[in-house]
Amino acid sequence: MTEKPIKLLEGAYNLQNEADNIAYYKDFAALYDDGFADALGYNTPNALAETFLEIATEADRPIADIGCGTGLVAGALGLPRDVIDGYDISSEMLDKAREKHLYRAVYQANLKQALEAYPNDYGALISVGTFTLGHLGPQDLGNLLGFLRKDGLVCITISAAHFKAQGFAEFLNGLHDAGKITSPQIRTVPIYAKDDHEHAKDKAHILSFRKA
């Protein structure tokens, strides 16, 4: 195992703002699938796809893929492209996703800002690898609920370290107590399938609930 995939990962964890994200993923996009996902055995796209397909219904469409990157989750889902839209801050990552013909539409968007310019009638919201260190936090999740119609399904991964450090449990309890979401369900999975690197034991929570 070379050091480069780990450096790519840890560089992503250290991003601080919109400009950092745009600049970093401009170069990371070309390496993302082979130099990161394949090299480290990135497992969560497949794990989330499995969970989503177990719990979703035909009514949970169309789907917004938040932080879609190069389209790994959409590829794992294997659904028709006309039911899923991709959102990402990086135009270079979206270019890679377009090449795979997985999405009905893709949108370059800063998901920490107001979202009124985008569709708000999605039946489901999915995300892998975006609720993690250097990326989106609990308040951003609350903001993204505006994408969904009533009873819309949320199925996302949150790195376990980020979940704890950013107080996601308390935030979700607040949303539930306020009658804004159903009781969240959590499944914990390894982020990586390969065990020959220093992040091999990292975990993610697959979080699912519905907008009330």
Side-chain angles (χ1 to χ4, degrees):
M1 169 65 63
T2 66
E3 294 183 359
K4 191 169 186 178
I6 294 296
K7 288 182 178 179
L8 290 170
L9 171 64
E10 293 181 346
Y13 282 170
N14 290 321
L15 300 176
Q16 299 295 318
N17 53 46
E18 177 183 4
D20 287 352
N21 274 270
I22 291 172
Y24 191 77
Y25 284 101
K26 182 176 182 179
D27 296 324
F28 197 178
L31 304 170
Y32 193 83
D33 287 4
D34 296 331
F36 164 67
D38 288 346
L40 299 183
Y42 194 36
N43 174 64
T44 42
N46 287 329
L48 182 124
E50 178 183 330
T51 298
F52 181 84
L53 293 172
E54 286 176 356
I55 62 179
T57 71
E58 288 292 324
D60 298 324
R61 299 182 180 187
I63 302 163
D65 183 358
I66 301 302
C68 66
T70 63
L72 294 180
V73 185
L77 284 172
L79 295 173
R81 63 179 295 187
D82 63 354
V83 302
I84 183 166
D85 294 342
Y87 289 80
D88 204 277
I89 198 170
S90 167
S91 61
E92 288 79 14
M93 296 287 270
L94 291 175
D95 286 342
K96 293 295 182 183
R98 285 189 188 95
E99 292 172 4
K100 298 177 183 179
H101 305 289
L102 296 168
Y103 296 102
R104 176 180 67 175
V106 296
Y107 299 93
Q108 185 178 7
N110 181 348
L111 298 165
K112 286 181 168 292
Q113 296 181 350
L115 304 172
E116 287 86 353
Y118 306 104
N120 63 357
D121 62 344
Y122 288 106
L125 185 153
I126 62 173
S127 184
V128 167
T130 305
F131 289 90
T132 190
L133 304 172
H135 292 65
L136 300 185
Q139 295 297 331
D140 303 310
L141 176 56
N143 186 39
L144 287 165
L145 292 179
F147 270 146
L148 291 171
R149 58 179 180 257
K150 187 177 183 295
D151 296 324
L153 175 64
V154 173
C155 188
I156 63 174
T157 67
I158 306 174
S159 81
H162 191 54
F163 187 94
K164 182 177 181 179
Q166 295 296 315
F168 272 91
E170 294 80 4
F171 182 79
L172 291 165
N173 286 338
L175 289 179
H176 180 250
D177 291 345
K180 294 182 178 180
I181 65 172
T182 61
S183 180
Q185 303 299 307
I186 295 178
R187 171 190 173 201
T188 303
V189 299
I191 297 178
Y192 305 102
K194 294 183 179 179
D195 61 4
D196 56 350
H197 57 87
E198 61 200 79
H199 285 275
K201 294 184 179 180
D202 290 0
K203 303 290 185 182
H205 300 315
I206 297 180
L207 178 72
S208 60
F209 57 84
R210 291 188 178 273
K211 181 178 178 178

